[in-house]
Amino acid sequence: METDQIDQLLERYLTLLDEYTQLRELLSKTQAGMYQNIARANFSAERGVRYGPDYYDERMQALRSLKISANDKGVPRYELVKPAKAVTQPVSHEDAGDEGAPDDAGEISSPEKPTADEKANRAKKSNDPLRWFGILAPLPLRQAQTLSVQAIQDVIPRLVSVDAEMMHLEIEVRRARKKRAKVQASMKRLDAEQAQEAEPGSPAPRAEVKST
């Protein structure tokens, strides 16, 4: 019974190992393609322009969040989810101070209500990092972004989830083997006791009688 359980665990482990190997190869190819496209974009960029972290500023923010859940056995599962869309930014103090300020004629201007188009433009805020490098980003840079999103969103979460399940299976296999070893040891001890009880006792020595 324990042997069948160990075989099932090892079969599942080998299946995950094959998937883990394929994911590692896919991640390696994806990262290589990403860095190659960034190098192509820098090679064809204008003089003095280099695509990299030098363009990062306070606009940088996470576009996806990590969600960690666990199954009934306590094995963690990792996945990326898109956060809720950011609400419209509140009006700054300078804008608030301008509203209701007296104009040149000395009259107090009433705050104008934003039109539907202005509301849509405010709510529709682009979080695409490619906009940091200009409106017309080069094609290799867009390809690098596509590969990086694929690696972050699809490959890496599944890779770490498979790794966590493999670690859990290793613990289960060790426990099953220890349990099987204890059962085998107890069975051997029981067989030895039964064999000892089944052995016939040695005959008692008979006294010799001398005739006269």
Side-chain angles (χ1 to χ4, degrees), residues 40-74:
R40 292 192 187 100
N42 286 324
F43 181 77
S44 60
E46 298 179 0
R47 185 176 181 180
V49 176
R50 181 172 180 81
Y51 301 107
D54 296 337
Y55 282 85
Y56 297 168
D57 53 21
E58 67 276 359
R59 293 174 297 177
M60 173 179 285
Q61 58 181 346
L63 299 181
R64 292 166 179 81
S65 58
L66 178 64
K67 179 182 178 182
I68 304 177
S69 58
N71 57 11
D72 53 351
K73 296 182 180 180

Side-chain angles (χ1 to χ4, degrees), residues 24 44 46 52 71 73 100 111 156 161 164 178 196:
R24 287 297 300 265
S44 60
E46 298 179 0
N71 57 11
K73 296 182 180 180
I156 295 179
S161 299
K178 289 181 180 179
Q196 186 177 2

Side-chain angles (χ1 to χ4, degrees), residues 5 20 26 43 45 50 73 85 88 99 103 122 145 166 201:
Q5 181 183 3
Y20 180 84
L26 179 59
F43 181 77
R50 181 172 180 81
K73 296 182 180 180
K85 294 182 179 180
T88 306
E99 294 181 357
D103 54 6
R122 291 181 181 179
Q145 183 192 36
M166 289 174 62

Side-chain angles (χ1 to χ4, degrees), residues 171-188:
I171 297 174
E172 291 292 329
V173 169
R174 286 196 295 267
R175 289 177 179 175
R177 285 177 174 174
K178 289 181 180 179
K179 187 176 180 180
R180 183 182 63 180
K182 291 181 180 179
V183 172
Q184 290 177 351
S186 61
M187 291 179 63
K188 288 181 180 179

Side-chain angles (χ1 to χ4, degrees), residues 27 147 167 189:
L27 179 61
L147 292 174
M167 294 176 62
R189 184 170 59 253

Side-chain angles (χ1 to χ4, degrees), residues 81-202:
V81 294
K82 290 185 178 181
K85 294 182 179 180
V87 296
T88 306
Q89 292 183 349
V91 181
S92 60
H93 295 289
E94 296 178 358
D95 296 338
D98 293 341
E99 294 181 357
D103 54 6
D104 296 338
E107 298 178 357
I108 299 177
S109 60
S110 59
E112 297 180 357
K113 295 182 179 181
T115 62
D117 295 337
E118 292 177 353
K119 290 182 179 180
N121 292 332
R122 291 181 181 179
K124 188 178 179 181
K125 182 182 178 181
S126 177
N127 293 327
D128 190 0
L130 288 180
R131 296 295 181 88
W132 300 351
F133 306 103
I135 299 177
L136 300 177
L139 180 60
L141 196 61
R142 296 182 181 276
Q143 293 175 346
Q145 183 192 36
T146 302
L147 292 174
S148 61
V149 170
Q150 178 184 358
I152 294 296
Q153 186 170 350
D154 300 331
V155 181
I156 295 179
R158 181 56 187 167
L159 184 64
V160 293
S161 299
V162 170
D163 183 64
E165 188 174 356
M166 289 174 62
M167 294 176 62
H168 178 74
L169 285 175
E170 291 176 359
I171 297 174
E172 291 292 329
V173 169
R174 286 196 295 267
R175 289 177 179 175
R177 285 177 174 174
K178 289 181 180 179
K179 187 176 180 180
R180 183 182 63 180
K182 291 181 180 179
V183 172
Q184 290 177 351
S186 61
M187 291 179 63
K188 288 181 180 179
R189 184 170 59 253
L190 182 60
D191 293 341
E193 292 177 356
Q194 291 178 354
Q196 186 177 2
E197 292 177 357
E199 289 181 357
S202 57

